[in-house]
Amino acid sequence: MIDPKLLREDPDRVRESQRRRGASVELVDQVLAADERRRSSIATFEQLRSEQKALSKQIPRAQGEEKQALLARTKELAAQVKVAEASQAEAGREYDRLILELDNLVEPDVPLGGEDDYVVLEEVGHLRDFAAEGFEPRDHVELGKVLGAIDVERGAKVSGARFYYLTGVGALLEMALANMAIDQATAYGFTPMIPPALVKPQAMEGTGYLGQAAEDVYRLERDDLYLVGTSEVPLAAYHMEEILDGELPRRYAAFSPCFRREAGSYGKDTRGIIRVHWFDKVEMFSFCHPDDAAAEHRRLLAWEREFWDKLEVPYRVIDTAAGDLGASAARKFDIEAWIPTQGRYREVTSTSNCTDFQARRLSIRFREEEGIRHVATLNGTLVAMARAIVAILENHQEPDGGVSVPKALQPFLGGRGRLEPLA
RNA sequence: GGAGGCGUCGCCUAGUCCGGUCUAUGGCGCCCGCCUGCUAAGCGGGUUGAGGGUUCAUCCCCUCUCGCGGGUUCAAAUCCCGCCGCCUCCGCCA
């Protein structure tokens, strides 16, 4: 949720942000109108209520006719108060509903445009020339078979399309990546976490995933719970309705499963484990001072880059355009790893600065001298297992289908330097 | 899932039976001041959060806030109903 005071005082800034996102500009005026109605109904209610309370206090001391008169008057007032209260509550709900629809304010430097209008900030690493090396690269599905690492057929048999098993070295690879990621995060002072993957509506709503993104979320109707699409959700909600004491930032790194319906992605990435309904991830999350948020965002990106540097996979960093930001994000950087058999870069991490947008919805605050403020929340992927495994297998493959293990990962794989093809 | 107990302003706690003087008691902690070679002690004051009005801002005024949501009543921490959470016991269970 955006700052209601800012909306009131500088609505043009909000309009501009909505425009850059390609979101509704008209919504801004709807919210402002709802705010007017809300405030006037509050004034009406409070005035009546105040009068009622004042008279009501005189009743115990009053006697006889005077008391009867007071009772009659307060009874009448009580009825009016009830009506005023109801209309005040209704105006409040309408205002809340509308203001929650407004997306976060886009940072000024965010590129204009939609999905394809990102700006490439940097390309890192060298693309292998397989032709020069004299062999045709296999894709991760083939490599997964050769290594006994990925079983998509049985995934489909048991759970349906877009499910898979990680087997043998595939399973080991996931755990190694998870440990390497947690290891790095812990070294930088993150608190390791294993959060719940099922959350209440409030947590989902608070992180901004029940808006446009709702179609992509699994819901357990019987229990009114949601399967999280990212551990950003339980991590952000961890401090919901709290006033944080002590130092900021507070940084957490969570290992957790992620579930996505992938609604509307029919036909896209149907082969392999690039786009799946479930994968595991290690995610960084930071609750920080709002004035430090942009700098913290850069730090998260730097930690992501460090991790991917260690995997020795070529990648590029992109600055996502305004039209492609999630509702909560003011700015988003993605790391895209090179996938040789696709001849293009694919998203493997994403870091968003949500400023105080989620913190307002979740009511997460901190104290400073000037008073109480909402924190900023930021999230960033260290490693999403399925896609990381794809990137490692494809980029480090050898002519026989074996895969060399990047040095930094070796200690987490029992020291092995190479994944061997099955006989 | 069943039975019982509990939920008060950071923590502990009074108040709930019997509705109004509760603008919620007291202690601890914390903050400010006084006193004092320093510290401690002592003394005085302050200390939930949200919203609205007013204001350049502060001050101030008002409303809401005793787990959450309804209801009864002129009036609810207090009475009634529903829900949630925690604890104890039973059942089930990795």
Side-chain angles (χ1 to χ4, degrees):
Chain A
M1 168 173 150
I2 66 158
D3 184 352
K5 214 154 151 196
L6 180 113
L7 173 69
R8 222 178 281 161
E9 286 164 8
D10 192 1
D12 280 338
R13 233 181 106 190
V14 184
R15 288 191 189 100
E16 170 65 6
S17 174
Q18 289 287 99
R19 194 185 60 74
R20 292 177 66 198
R21 280 177 175 275
S24 167
V25 175
E26 196 183 299
L27 179 59
V28 176
D29 296 288
Q30 291 173 15
V31 179
L32 285 170
D35 189 29
E36 283 299 326
R37 286 194 296 274
R38 170 181 146 270
R39 284 189 287 163
S40 89
S41 67
I42 285 172
T44 304
F45 161 71
E46 287 186 354
Q47 195 267 325
L48 285 168
R49 176 69 177 150
S50 186
E51 193 182 340
Q52 182 202 22
K53 280 178 74 169
L55 290 183
S56 196
K57 253 180 214 167
Q58 299 172 18
I59 289 178
R61 282 178 282 129
Q63 293 294 327
E65 254 174 58
E66 190 198 355
K67 185 162 191 164
Q68 290 314 309
L70 273 173
L71 278 172
R73 175 68 186 130
T74 47
K75 195 157 193 163
E76 193 181 305
L77 264 174
Q80 291 175 30
V81 164
K82 202 167 183 174
V83 171
E85 185 172 25
S87 80
Q88 183 243 113
E90 175 52 33
R93 274 193 299 273
E94 178 64 4
Y95 169 76
D96 289 343
R97 186 182 71 74
L98 286 168
I99 198 169
L100 285 172
E101 275 183 40
L102 280 175
D103 294 336
N104 199 2
L105 288 184
V106 172
E107 260 187 51
D109 295 338
V110 170
L112 220 59
E115 195 177 350
D116 301 320
D117 298 308
Y118 53 82
V119 168
V120 176
L121 298 180
E122 200 166 353
E123 297 192 357
V124 180
H126 298 287
L127 309 188
R128 280 171 72 181
D129 183 349
F130 288 94
E133 291 185 43
F135 74 102
E136 188 70 27
R138 304 173 214 235
D139 80 357
H140 71 275
V141 179
E142 280 183 62
L143 289 165
K145 265 187 203 150
V146 170
L147 297 165
I150 304 169
D151 190 337
V152 288
E153 285 87 356
R154 290 195 174 94
K157 177 178 78 177
V158 173
S159 302
R162 297 201 191 284
F163 285 94
Y164 58 97
Y165 284 75
L166 293 177
T167 58
V169 291
L172 294 178
L173 208 45
E174 153 142 354
M175 294 191 219
L177 287 165
N179 284 326
M180 182 172 145
I182 291 290
D183 209 55
Q184 176 183 313
T186 309
Y188 285 115
F190 284 76
T191 302
M193 299 272 260
I194 298 189
L198 279 170
V199 299
K200 297 187 196 178
Q202 197 191 348
M204 218 62 189
E205 176 86 66
T207 39
Y209 282 98
L210 292 188
Q212 312 97 296
E215 272 302 289
D216 212 33
V217 169
Y218 284 105
R219 175 164 180 226
L220 289 117
E221 199 154 346
R222 269 187 75 172
D223 302 285
D224 204 17
L225 290 170
Y226 292 89
L227 277 166
V228 300
T230 162
S231 36
E232 172 192 344
V233 174
L235 285 176
Y238 184 64
H239 286 304
M240 122 182 129
E241 279 150 31
E242 291 182 24
I243 298 174
L244 300 179
D245 283 322
E247 291 288 293
L248 291 177
R250 294 231 202 158
R251 299 191 179 114
Y252 301 97
F255 174 89
S256 88
C258 306
F259 302 93
R260 302 182 179 186
R261 294 185 63 235
E262 294 298 342
S265 68
Y266 312 108
K268 258 198 233 170
D269 299 311
T270 49
R271 184 173 164 83
I273 59 170
I274 293 268
R275 188 178 297 276
V276 289
H277 288 310
W278 146 78
F279 59 93
D280 296 317
K281 190 162 82 162
V282 174
E283 174 98 344
M284 299 178 284
F285 198 92
S286 175
F287 298 88
C288 86
H289 193 290
D291 298 345
D292 188 39
E296 182 77 348
H297 198 196
R298 294 292 177 164
R299 286 189 283 269
L300 291 180
L301 177 61
W303 284 316
E304 291 181 356
R305 290 187 45 170
E306 178 180 333
F307 188 83
W308 282 81
D309 285 338
K310 288 189 289 198
L311 291 181
E312 300 173 45
V313 166
Y315 64 85
R316 68 179 186 185
V317 180
I318 67 163
D319 193 350
T320 307
D324 199 26
L325 293 173
S328 300
R331 191 172 202 177
K332 177 159 86 92
F333 302 118
D334 289 351
I335 290 181
E336 298 184 330
W338 178 255
I339 305 299
T341 62
Q342 297 195 359
R344 59 181 180 133
Y345 290 97
R346 300 301 307 267
E347 178 182 337
V348 287
T349 76
S350 179
T351 178
S352 294
N353 178 3
C354 297
T355 62
D356 60 2
F357 185 84
Q358 293 178 327
R360 282 181 190 283
R361 293 170 155 234
L362 293 166
S363 189
I364 306 171
R365 294 164 294 166
F366 71 104
R367 281 177 219 278
E368 59 181 358
E369 291 223 352
E370 302 77 46
I372 290 170
R373 269 178 90 179
H374 289 92
V375 299
T377 60
L378 299 97
N379 60 80
T381 321
L382 265 181
V383 58
M385 304 309 167
R387 287 194 184 176
I389 289 170
V390 171
I392 289 168
L393 295 188
E394 293 209 12
N395 282 288
H396 294 301
Q397 64 179 297
E398 295 175 354
D400 65 349
V403 170
S404 67
V405 178
K407 226 181 208 74
L409 190 55
Q410 290 177 12
F412 299 96
L413 270 174
R416 79 181 79 187
R418 195 179 120 93
L419 308 179
E420 299 292 342
L422 299 179

